[in-house]
Amino acid sequence: MGGKKIGILAIHGDVAEHAAVLRKLKIEPIEIRAAEDFEKIEGLIIPGGESTTIYDLAKTYGLISPLRKFITTPRKNLPTTCSESCRTANHQLPTIFGTCAGLILLVKFGLLNVEIERNAYGRQLDSFEVNLNVPILGSRKFPGVFIRAPKILRVGKGVETLAEFEGTPIFIRQRNIFAASFHPELVNDIRIHKFIFGLKSPR
Ligand code: GLN
């Protein structure tokens, strides 16, 4: 297994799916359920699921302030988990990736300067898959799975749009935080996780 220690907030949602992608990248994921778990990791995934449930459970487990602290505190000697192509000036901050409900939580914590609307991709059309153009990945399209996804209505200062769908940002980055309104953990394509956590493909 690779030396990088990437945590997954593991109280609700598609934890196992993110873990499977990390394993394909030869990273053994670390499940985060308690405040002291943050000491073990260099990067964190906040999965998709139901954001209200994740928030309420995180609150019950006393995880809200440790989580905010982990995301916003630079750490000396923190090995950067980010590849050359996505490294920021401020690479002492841990690399964070939120998908769908994870994106909603990052906004709720005041950590992403964006405005969103939950479940905005239509009620009757609860779920859909579409081939996305994600320029940082090159010309081969990425299969985007949207499940009662939040819509990013506005991106503010410091937020870079990494991909759009029908003119709306769906994959963004603000300094050390990446967030997607779709679910790259649910498809058989590891390029987004690989880009974010910067590891070479198994072969
Ligand atoms: N609709 C969910 C919410 O509002 C997010 C859905 C998802 O993560 N797939 O939290």
Side-chain angles (χ1 to χ4, degrees):
M1 289 294 164
K4 291 179 182 174
K5 297 184 176 65
I6 307 301
I8 305 174
L9 188 64
I11 47 184
H12 165 81
D14 53 2
V15 178
E17 289 81 357
H18 275 291
V21 182
L22 291 182
R23 288 196 181 99
K24 283 186 192 162
L25 290 167
K26 296 202 187 293
I27 301 173
E28 184 55 30
I30 297 176
E31 297 196 348
I32 304 298
R33 291 198 187 83
E36 57 272 22
D37 293 340
F38 290 105
E39 287 158 28
K40 305 176 203 159
I41 56 168
E42 300 149 13
L44 178 72
I45 291 174
I46 306 180
E50 190 55 47
S51 56
T52 318
T53 307
I54 301 178
Y55 185 83
D56 289 349
L57 288 171
K59 206 167 165 187
T60 306
Y61 297 160
L63 285 175
I64 305 281
S65 97
L67 188 63
R68 287 192 92 262
K69 193 168 160 218
F70 174 74
I71 296 172
T72 55
T73 311
R75 276 162 55 183
K76 278 221 169 84
N77 308 322
L78 180 74
T80 179
T81 56
C82 206
S83 64
E84 210 63 64
S85 52
C86 74
R87 194 168 286 160
T88 63
N90 203 343
H91 62 266
Q92 286 188 329
L93 287 168
T95 303
I96 312 299
F97 184 29
T99 57
C100 204
L103 158 66
I104 297 169
L105 286 165
L106 287 162
V107 176
K108 198 173 160 99
F109 294 149
L111 297 171
L112 278 178
N113 186 13
V114 303
E115 209 178 293
I116 54 166
E117 187 186 338
R118 286 177 64 188
N119 304 321
Y121 280 96
R123 235 176 220 156
Q124 65 280 51
L125 198 71
D126 270 349
S127 162
F128 62 96
E129 185 169 338
V130 67
N131 280 329
L132 299 170
N133 179 29
V134 184
I136 52 161
L137 300 180
S139 57
R140 184 157 57 90
K141 302 261 200 246
F142 190 92
V145 173
F146 291 77
I147 304 170
R148 300 181 66 234
K151 194 171 242 175
I152 299 173
L153 303 176
R154 187 193 62 83
V155 298
K157 228 176 147 204
V159 182
E160 183 188 349
T161 296
L162 300 174
E164 290 181 343
F165 170 58
E166 294 181 339
T168 298
I170 41 118
F171 183 28
I172 56 170
R173 168 193 175 185
Q174 184 173 336
R175 205 157 62 169
N176 60 320
I177 304 175
F178 293 82
S181 47
F182 58 102
H183 290 274
E185 72 282 14
L186 297 184
V187 296
N188 198 16
D189 188 328
I190 61 175
R191 287 179 294 157
I192 287 185
H193 286 74
K194 185 181 168 191
F195 176 78
I196 292 173
F197 295 108
L199 289 175
K200 290 196 167 62
S201 202
R203 74 189 52 234

